[in-house]
Each structure stands twice: as structure tokens, then as C-alpha cells.
Amino acid sequence: MTLLFFLLFVMIFGKMIGFAFRATWGLFKILLYIVFLPLILVGMVFGGLLYLALPILIIVGIISFISGLAD
């Protein structure tokens, strides 16, 4: 009976931990694209790296445009 309880306990909380990791990864991606990428690009411009920031901005813009068309 204890083995059955332990097995079901691990199954239920294992699924919850997996869901927590997937949710955390999703939130991290949103935070990365909305907060950190613009801050990095602005910091690159102020740091004099406009020649690197502009191609990154263009590539991200094209990818977001294409992914927006796919939805």
C-alpha cells in the first residue's frame, strides 16, 4: 500500500513539476523578448555598437513578422 501511495504521489507531483518548468520557460521567453532584448539593443546603441544593433533589430523584426503571418 505504501508503494502504491508513493508511486501515485510521484506521478502527480512529477506532472506538476513538469508543468512548472514549462510555465517558467514560457514566462522567461516573454520577459526576454519584451524587456531584455530592447534594453540590450538600446545599450548597444548608446555604447556605440549601432552597426551590430541594427542588423539584430532587422533580423528579429523579420522573424516576428513571419511568425505573425503564420498565426
Side-chain angles (χ1 to χ4, degrees), residues 1-69:
M1 194 66 160
T2 305
L3 182 62
L4 179 64
F5 174 78
F6 183 72
L7 181 66
L8 293 174
F9 183 81
V10 169
M11 286 175 48
I12 291 171
F13 287 104
K15 286 183 182 181
M16 290 175 69
I17 290 172
F19 175 72
F21 280 122
R22 285 192 305 271
T24 303
W25 178 244
L27 289 173
F28 176 73
K29 286 194 302 187
I30 290 170
L31 191 67
L32 178 71
Y33 292 132
I34 292 177
V35 176
F36 292 126
L37 183 63
L39 286 177
I40 290 170
L41 289 175
V42 168
M44 289 174 78
V45 169
F46 285 136
L49 298 173
L50 182 64
Y51 60 91
L52 285 177
L54 191 60
I56 293 171
L57 183 62
I58 291 171
I59 291 169
V60 170
I62 290 171
I63 291 172
S64 65
F65 179 72
I66 291 172
S67 67
L69 291 177

